[in-house]
Every structure is written in structure tokens, then in C-alpha cells.
Amino acid sequence: RKEVEQDPGPFNVPEGATVAFNCTYSNSASQSFFWYRQDCRKEPKLLMSVYSSGNEDGRFTAQLNRASQYISLLIRDSKLSDSATYLCVVNMGNDMRFGAGTRLTVKP
Amino acid sequence: EAGVVQSPRYKIIEKKQPVAFWCNPISGHNTLYWYRQNLGQGPELLIRYENEEAVDDSQLPKDRFSAERLKGVDSTLKIQPAELGDSAVYLCASSLAGTSYNEQFFGPGTRLTVL
């Protein structure tokens, strides 16, 4: 089993749609969780951290379920500019483990 | 403020040749990471430095890969000799030391093609 697994996608959605990504992790001792965004041929950039209580940043909502060992990312009112690959990241000790990413394409 | 700097941005070499990548982290960031990212995959950690000390190199293929961060600032990753399977993007990242909650900032990467 991979340490971090994501829906591979691709997700193709129209503008304005709501889309959700899930990610599961294998190490129950994982300490911190993140979603990174990576545009084509660019480096990953932090989108948001994921807190135990869940957190929201504008149109983006992240949730953590420690009991089931998964995190999720919800994007509301999708914009064309949201098209990218979303990487789930789990910190195991001081080492980040990245999922393979979920590709999202938002279409007009 | 300058971000993480990497060079070269692109490198094409023939198999069995050596190659080196350079990274200068964000000023003040004590932790430096080297990752390899294959097409369609997430970044895979190769080595992590805390200052000049390599604290995790368990994923570094030591038969052909080496890295150094002599003064605890910039770092070099070397492959000798390169193989076809080494073609990938090599990403350098840095973060503030101390906790596992610190954001990692990535450089633009070096895209390596081995022919």
C-alpha cells in the first residue's frame, strides 16, 4: 500500500461546479497534512494546511479524519484558474510524503 | 525576497555521463530538501538536510547519487553515472527548521533528460 494515495482523476468540471478530492494515508502517526497545488511544468506551492478541526479559505475547504486516515479538499464555485494538479501531502516525522496528485480541469 | 534558486533549469546528457544540480534556499531556512519528480507522480524525497547535516538520506540511491551542503546554505546534488531512468525533474525545497508544520518552498526544478 502506498503511503499516500489520491484519486488520480482527471476531474473535468464546468465553471461554477463544486468538486471534492480525497486522499488516504497509511501511517497513523502522521502529524501534519497539507494540500499543495502544482501547475503544469511548475513547482508545487502550498494551497492550505489541514487542521484537525477542518479549515476553510475562501472557496477551499479542507477536512481531516484521523480515525479513517483520510483528508479531503473541497473547491466550491470552480474557476478556470483552479485548473491544476492538487497534491496531498502528509508529514511523517519531518519528512513529507506526497501523493501522486489529482488533476483538475475546469472548463468554460 | 528571493525564492529558492536552482540551476540549471534544463539539462540534457547522454547516459553514463555525470551531472550536477545546484540549489540556493531561501535565506534563513535551515532545512533543505532534494526531491525527484517523475511524470505523473508526486515529488519523492531523496535527501533532507538540517543545516549541513544530512538527517535523512534513506531514499538516496547511494551507488550513483551524492549530495552535499558544506556550509549549511547552498547544496549540490550529483549523479554519476547517469542512467536513462534518472530522467525526471529534480526539485529543491527549503523550510524553517524546528517543526513538521512548516511550509516547504520549492524551487523551479531542474528538468533532466538522459539520452
Side-chain angles (χ1 to χ4, degrees):
Chain A
R1 182 184 174 187
K2 292 182 180 178
E3 292 176 306
V4 181
E5 292 198 71
Q6 295 185 242
D7 294 339
F11 286 69
N12 298 305
V13 303
E15 273 186 292
T18 296
V19 61
F21 309 138
N22 290 321
C23 168
T24 58
Y25 60 95
S26 60
N27 188 338
S28 60
S30 298
Q31 300 169 343
S32 53
F33 310 87
F34 307 87
W35 285 100
Y36 276 69
R37 170 190 169 134
Q38 187 171 26
D39 292 300
C40 188
R41 302 180 76 87
K42 297 289 187 180
E43 70 272 24
K45 293 183 179 179
L46 180 66
L47 177 65
M48 58 195 306
S49 302
V50 186
Y51 304 122
S52 296
S53 56
N55 49 301
E56 186 175 311
D57 183 3
R59 298 181 293 108
F60 299 84
T61 300
Q63 296 282 349
L64 167 64
N65 185 319
R66 285 190 182 272
S68 300
Q69 293 180 209
Y70 80 82
I71 67 174
S72 63
L73 177 68
L74 181 76
I75 305 176
R76 292 181 298 277
D77 188 22
S78 299
K79 309 293 185 188
L80 297 177
S81 58
D82 293 335
S83 297
T85 295
Y86 291 84
L87 298 164
C88 171
V89 185
V90 177
N91 197 317
M92 304 181 179
N94 280 314
D95 291 324
M96 304 280 243
R97 294 289 184 262
F98 286 76
T102 299
R103 186 170 178 178
L104 170 67
T105 300
V106 181
K107 299 184 175 181
Chain B
E1 180 183 339
V4 176
V5 179
Q6 290 188 249
S7 68
R9 293 293 309 278
Y10 304 91
K11 190 73 176 179
I12 301 174
I13 61 172
E14 294 187 345
K15 62 182 180 181
K16 300 185 182 180
Q17 294 300 306
V19 65
F21 315 126
W22 178 79
C23 171
N24 193 29
I26 292 173
S27 177
H29 282 194
N30 296 329
T31 307
L32 183 147
Y33 309 76
W34 282 104
Y35 290 90
R36 175 171 58 192
Q37 186 173 25
N38 292 305
L39 188 64
Q41 299 296 316
E44 174 192 18
L45 181 69
L46 293 174
I47 189 168
R48 175 171 63 93
Y49 282 93
E50 294 289 347
N51 298 305
E52 66 275 11
E53 182 182 359
V55 295
D56 184 358
D57 63 356
S58 58
Q59 303 298 316
L60 190 72
K62 297 182 181 63
D63 56 337
R64 298 182 299 108
F65 286 66
S66 64
E68 60 182 16
R69 193 185 185 199
L70 293 176
K71 296 183 179 179
V73 181
D74 57 344
S75 176
T76 302
L77 177 68
K78 298 179 181 177
I79 308 175
Q80 183 171 8
E83 296 179 353
L84 295 176
D86 295 332
S87 295
V89 176
Y90 290 83
L91 293 162
C92 178
S94 70
S95 68
L96 291 169
T99 79
S100 60
Y101 298 89
N102 289 323
E103 176 183 357
Q104 290 191 16
F105 294 84
F106 286 83
T110 296
R111 186 173 297 272
L112 174 66
T113 302
V114 182
L115 304 176

